[in-house]
Amino acid sequence: MSHPHPELSTPPPLPKGGLRVIPLGGLGEVGRNMTVFEYDGRLLIVDCGVLFPEDHQPGVDLILPDFGPIRDRLDDVEALVLTHGHEDHIGATPYLLRERQDIPLVGSELTLALLDSKLREHRLRNTVHHKVKEGQRLILGPFELEFVAVNHSIPDALAIVIRTGTATVLHTGDFKMDQLPLDGRITDLRAFARVGEEGVDLFLTDSTNAETPGFTPAEKSITPVVDQVFRDSKQRIIVACFASHVHRVQQVLDAAVANNRKVAYVGRSMVRNMGIARDLGYLTVPGGTLVDAKELADLPPERQVLISTGSQGEPMSALSRIAQRSHNFVHIEEGDTVLLASSLIPGNENAVYRVINGLARWGANVVHKGNAHVHVSGHASAGELLYCYNIVQPRNVLPVHGEIRHMLANAELARATGVENVVVAEDGVVVDLVDGVATITGKVDVGLVFVDGTSVGDITEADLKDRRILGEEGFISAIVVVDSVSGKVSAGPEIHARGFAEDDAVFDAVKQPIIDAVNAALAEGNTDAYQLQQTIRRVVGRWVSGAHRRRPMIIPVVVEA
Ligand SMILES: [Zn+2]
Ligand SMILES: [Zn+2]
């Protein structure tokens, strides 16, 4: 990853009593959060999340933080502390545990429950869990942890105080300061103040909304829109939101009950997460409200509510399929109302508008961020961050969780309140806290680690470039000369390609399979040129989609000699 310190090299050994911070992901991007703290030879990791790929990374399922810098030191890891259950904080944990399965996992009840279902999917059993609550303390090697309640767009989120023999660190995790949240669990500013009074040497703060002036509106402020949708709608209501947004789902459930409607979940992650949240008491579902989607379809439309995934236009999601009228049992009808109760994550605009247009084309009334107040952010805006700096009065600040512009805006806020030392660092930049002063002391090599199907880290940036080109404009031609007397391939295949790898050697892998397939077809008496060309097309097509995940134009040519 690029960062503004090309001159940096490997950091010097950490002085005794010093605390080292090594961000492996999440600083310079929104996603794959992972920060390593080192003290007295021991390591503590905070969060281990994923980043979702964008359009220019075809075939990539997930992007992980780079574990490279700690790979040789996994035995020094005291624990992995998880601030909350969002994918950008827990999603990479199974991949870390594949490298050392007994790293103790520390988190709140809901966070660990959401993580657990993920670990089971990866067949990771016998993992070590420490379930913690706000107010609780936990000693792990040289690190003394204290957990503080914070309010965010998922319940049970925690900020973390890390005390070593020489320093106190406060890490906000993702947070905002909704003063009237649905569950009444507010960010514990009294604890922030108490720890601040004791002296915070390093304060790591959520930068996501640092550019947004003022305060993030209350979650309850979207209630009027939800109520209006339920009041005005004469037919079915479909609500799409994030599958982890328990409080958003609670609002919809409450409105459904008040309006004598029944609710079904659509989408695997929605069904799973809301099941966990309900079992643990984070979601209250009045008896008889929830039915399965097929049962719901038997009710008159004015009694139906569907809560669905797909609010970001994800092509395989339930909502996208509903918009294309290709969903198994949800058939969008004229007069249905669709409420997209979520943010529009940059990069997803085209996909989301495609879904909105698709729904509107069938006559649905679509209520979304562009035409109604249907979403509030889960992150603190500038005003809330200023409050926090004034309450905590930290000696040093390290903005986290954001693109560089977010982190720079956050740094400005810290400076404006009088914080003397603000350090802006991106992934891989090492920050040492020594004698109460944080400074950048070096860098470690980190990159993007791509998960592609079952392979982790085998795909490189160069491979993705090939995929992009081949996928967008590439073609492959294969010319084979067949000897009509011997009934065998006598020359070729000669392969030409455009928009594929620079090096023609990549095609060596497919040459013999082409010869074998054509010879086999000839041996079966297949001499028709068109059919032989189809044989070549199949072999090349299978190979290129298997090895490169693309579908270029394939031009097979059979010449008889
Ligand atoms: Zn979050
Ligand atoms: Zn996050």
Side-chain angles (χ1 to χ4, degrees):
M1 289 274 353
S2 63
H3 54 72
H5 302 282
E7 76 285 2
L8 292 174
S9 54
T10 309
L14 185 62
K16 194 160 172 50
L19 174 75
R20 175 162 289 175
V21 186
I22 313 165
L24 297 184
L27 273 65
E29 61 205 341
V30 176
R32 59 175 201 139
N33 295 285
M34 181 171 185
T35 305
V36 179
F37 294 87
E38 177 178 0
Y39 180 77
D40 201 15
R42 303 297 289 169
L43 305 178
L44 181 80
I45 304 172
V46 174
D47 290 329
C48 188
V50 292
L51 174 69
F52 291 99
E54 295 183 26
D55 288 350
H56 64 273
Q57 293 158 328
V60 174
D61 301 320
L62 294 170
I63 304 171
L64 308 181
D66 192 339
F67 306 147
I70 58 165
R71 188 157 279 131
D72 294 338
R73 300 194 55 193
L74 289 176
D75 287 335
D76 296 338
V77 176
E78 291 288 349
L80 165 59
V81 185
L82 301 154
T83 56
H84 63 287
H86 279 153
E87 287 294 322
D88 61 320
H89 296 261
I90 67 170
T93 305
Y95 299 91
L96 182 67
L97 294 192
R98 276 192 201 172
E99 307 203 16
R100 185 189 144 197
Q101 192 157 339
D102 62 348
I103 294 175
L105 305 170
V106 181
S108 68
E109 181 181 50
L110 182 64
T111 305
L112 289 183
L114 293 170
L115 176 64
D116 227 5
S117 72
K118 192 176 291 298
L119 297 179
R120 278 198 302 272
E121 280 173 20
H122 284 256
R123 298 173 201 282
L124 287 158
R125 286 166 222 284
N126 307 321
T127 49
V128 185
H129 289 195
H130 289 290
K131 190 164 75 181
V132 294
K133 251 192 164 97
E134 52 264 34
Q136 209 172 316
R137 290 176 187 234
L138 183 66
I139 295 175
L140 296 159
F143 303 100
E144 190 193 326
L145 307 184
E146 180 187 340
F147 304 94
V148 178
V150 288
N151 167 246
H152 183 39
S153 47
I154 188 169
D156 223 10
L158 294 170
I160 303 161
V161 184
I162 305 167
R163 294 184 181 88
T164 65
T166 55
T168 299
V169 175
L170 175 56
H171 189 318
T172 63
D174 291 7
F175 85 111
K176 60 176 171 175
M177 283 164 38
D178 190 339
Q179 294 302 295
L180 297 167
L182 260 71
D183 61 359
R185 183 178 179 272
I186 57 173
T187 292
D188 189 354
L189 295 177
R190 293 160 59 106
F192 276 29
R194 173 174 50 77
V195 179
E197 197 68 42
E198 172 193 323
V200 169
D201 298 291
L202 181 63
F203 191 24
L204 292 85
T205 52
D206 177 357
S207 307
T208 317
N209 278 351
E211 290 184 313
T212 310
F215 290 77
T216 302
E219 199 63 48
K220 279 180 183 159
S221 67
I222 73 162
T223 307
V225 174
V226 174
D227 286 348
Q228 195 186 350
V229 163
F230 275 81
R231 225 177 17 250
D232 295 352
S233 177
K234 303 275 178 289
Q235 277 179 221
R236 182 170 43 188
I237 298 171
I238 301 173
V239 181
C241 69
F242 290 116
S244 58
H245 207 318
V246 176
H247 291 161
R248 195 66 44 85
V249 171
Q250 184 73 63
Q251 281 182 300
V252 175
L253 283 169
D254 293 346
V257 172
N259 290 276
N260 192 31
R261 286 176 181 255
K262 291 203 184 287
V263 178
Y265 301 135
V266 209
R268 202 170 65 97
S269 51
M270 186 68 77
V271 173
R272 184 191 58 203
N273 290 353
M274 291 309 142
I276 291 169
R278 181 190 191 169
D279 290 347
L280 296 175
Y282 294 93
L283 182 72
T284 310
V285 186
T289 307
L290 204 59
V291 296
D292 76 43
K294 291 197 180 99
E295 229 176 294
L296 190 81
D298 293 336
L299 294 171
E302 68 275 13
R303 296 210 51 210
Q304 298 182 25
V305 179
L306 289 161
I307 302 179
S308 162
T309 55
S311 62
Q312 295 303 308
E314 305 91 323
M316 298 309 290
S317 68
L319 193 67
S320 286
R321 282 180 282 139
I322 292 169
Q324 292 160 17
R325 272 206 180 160
S326 65
H327 195 274
N328 284 350
F329 44 84
V330 185
H331 198 78
I332 191 83
E333 300 289 350
E334 188 165 354
D336 286 349
T337 301
V338 181
L339 176 63
L340 275 92
S342 61
S343 63
L344 215 177
I345 294 174
N348 297 345
E349 288 92 345
N350 290 343
V352 171
Y353 287 117
R354 197 154 45 234
V355 168
I356 292 175
N357 283 326
L359 294 164
R361 190 171 292 125
W362 302 116
N365 168 32
V366 188
V367 181
H368 58 95
K369 195 170 181 276
N371 61 16
H373 180 59
V374 292
H375 174 72
V376 294
S377 169
H379 300 270
S381 299
E384 288 142 284
L385 292 166
L386 289 171
Y387 259 79
C388 286
Y389 291 129
N390 283 330
I391 289 170
V392 175
Q393 296 185 0
R395 296 194 184 95
N396 303 273
V397 164
L398 176 62
V400 297
H401 204 283
E403 295 173 13
I404 185 76
R405 62 192 169 101
H406 305 129
M407 298 196 299
L408 289 170
N410 196 0
E412 269 319 302
L413 296 171
R415 282 190 202 104
T417 65
V419 177
E420 276 177 23
N421 190 30
V422 183
V423 180
V424 176
E426 289 186 271
D427 296 344
V429 172
V430 176
V431 177
D432 288 349
L433 180 70
V434 179
D435 296 331
V437 181
T439 44
I440 291 173
T441 56
K443 66 152 185 182
V444 293
D445 286 329
V446 291
L448 298 167
V449 176
F450 299 111
V451 178
D452 176 349
T454 55
S455 100
V456 178
D458 295 340
I459 305 299
T460 63
E461 275 291 343
D463 294 326
L464 289 186
K465 188 169 164 232
D466 281 348
R467 286 182 184 181
R468 281 197 291 273
I469 295 166
L470 191 56
E472 284 158 15
E473 54 177 313
F475 77 80
I476 298 175
S477 70
I479 304 168
V480 172
V481 181
V482 171
D483 184 337
S484 50
V485 179
S486 71
K488 284 200 159 147
V489 172
S490 60
E494 195 177 307
I495 297 181
H496 296 282
R498 183 168 159 76
F500 203 11
E502 283 79 13
D503 185 358
D504 280 354
V506 297
F507 301 112
D508 290 346
V510 76
K511 284 183 177 169
Q512 195 57 43
I514 293 175
I515 295 170
D516 293 346
V518 173
N519 280 340
L522 288 165
E524 281 173 26
N526 248 327
T527 51
D528 179 70
Y530 176 73
Q531 285 188 14
L532 292 175
Q533 284 167 4
Q534 288 302 99
T535 302
I536 296 171
R537 189 190 300 280
R538 273 198 300 278
V539 173
V540 175
R542 245 197 324 266
W543 170 75
V544 76
S545 82
H548 298 276
R549 297 241 176 156
R550 304 311 312 167
R551 300 192 184 284
M553 184 187 296
I554 298 165
I555 306 160
V557 180
V558 173
V559 182
E560 259 182 74

